Amino acid sequence: LRASAGQHLLVCGDADHGNLLGALILGERDPALRSLNETMARAGIAHFLSISGLHLAVFLGFIYFLCSIVQFTPRRAAAVVLVVLGGYLLLAEPRAPLLRSAIMAGALCISVITHRRYASLNALAAAAIVLLAIDPLQILAPGFQLSFAIVAGLIVLHGPLRSFLFGRWLSRRGLMVFRDDQRLRRWMWFSMGNASTGMAAMCLAAYIVAAPLV
């Protein structure tokens, strides 16, 4: 299946475009992309050529959004996402970041289907156990270490860092009252504030965890 999908992408345009599509969609690094890979590595954007947890989350989130448009129930939408996830795993290169996020996404879908509470740390631990049972030497690979450590740091540190850095501002913000004609300002104040504080806390948590490993 993976070879068939790669051949299909290879005929989309010329050879360079086909190889690039294979890297972006399936994570396959063709030797013909070596110069492009080196250039992107020097520019600090080589991660665009790899399939990571964020790529999978965006893809599965889009599938779930389509299911909500056609008014599927959450359980049915989660089942569809689970099937799509299984099909995509057969096509993409099975690297640690992708498998880690796939196991966590699968656990989330199963929790929605069975009406059980989702525990992020438990799902992350299950992904680590499965991958290390398949290949224990992965624990020595930088990609494995960074993938699991950063996600664990985001789960554990994001909330405390956000409260520590912005807790006073967030509590004062909750006391503000906006008039009916200030709906846009109120939306910007709360929505942009949540996005900005959350992003800052996530970046700092990722940097704190990744710095010793790097």
Side-chain angles (χ1 to χ4, degrees):
L1 287 174
R2 187 178 302 125
S4 176
Q7 288 295 326
H8 178 72
L9 293 174
L10 196 59
V11 299
C12 296
D14 55 25
D16 292 337
H17 290 157
N19 290 327
L20 184 58
L21 281 175
L24 294 174
I25 298 175
L26 303 179
E28 293 184 348
R29 299 292 186 90
D30 192 274
L33 296 176
R34 183 173 300 171
S35 60
L36 176 62
N37 189 33
E38 293 175 353
T39 301
M40 297 182 74
R42 288 195 299 269
I45 55 175
H47 55 279
F48 287 128
L49 288 179
S50 63
I51 304 299
S52 66
L54 180 60
H55 296 86
L56 187 64
V58 171
F59 173 60
L60 296 181
F62 179 70
I63 298 298
Y64 191 87
F65 174 71
L66 292 180
C67 292
S68 65
I69 289 180
V70 297
Q71 298 183 347
F72 278 7
T73 62
R75 294 182 65 185
R76 182 175 294 181
V80 172
V81 171
L82 194 59
V83 172
V84 173
L85 173 61
Y88 183 73
L89 287 179
L90 295 176
L91 300 178
E93 287 289 326
R95 293 190 175 91
L98 174 64
L99 296 178
R100 185 262 309 156
S101 58
I103 293 174
M104 295 183 69
L108 177 59
C109 293
I110 293 174
S111 69
V112 173
I113 295 172
T114 59
H115 295 290
R116 300 292 295 272
R117 188 173 65 88
Y118 178 70
S120 301
L121 278 179
N122 286 356
L124 181 65
I129 291 172
V130 171
L131 295 184
L132 291 178
I134 296 173
D135 183 8
L137 292 180
Q138 285 190 93
I139 199 171
L140 302 177
F144 183 93
Q145 296 173 7
L146 286 171
S147 179
F148 280 87
I150 290 176
V151 174
L154 290 176
I155 296 172
V156 175
L157 299 178
H158 171 256
L161 280 175
R162 187 170 184 262
S163 299
F164 175 75
L165 296 174
F166 308 104
R168 185 176 180 182
W169 179 80
L170 291 173
S171 61
R172 290 178 56 192
R173 184 188 63 166
L175 301 176
M176 297 186 63
V177 178
F178 293 90
R179 297 189 301 271
D180 291 339
D181 59 345
Q182 295 178 318
R183 293 179 181 177
L184 179 60
R185 182 180 178 186
R186 177 175 55 191
W187 177 82
M188 293 183 61
W189 186 254
F190 283 94
S191 300
M192 299 302 292
N194 290 337
S196 301
T197 57
M199 188 176 299
M202 284 191 294
C203 290
L204 185 58
Y207 294 152
I208 290 174
V209 175
L213 291 174
V214 172

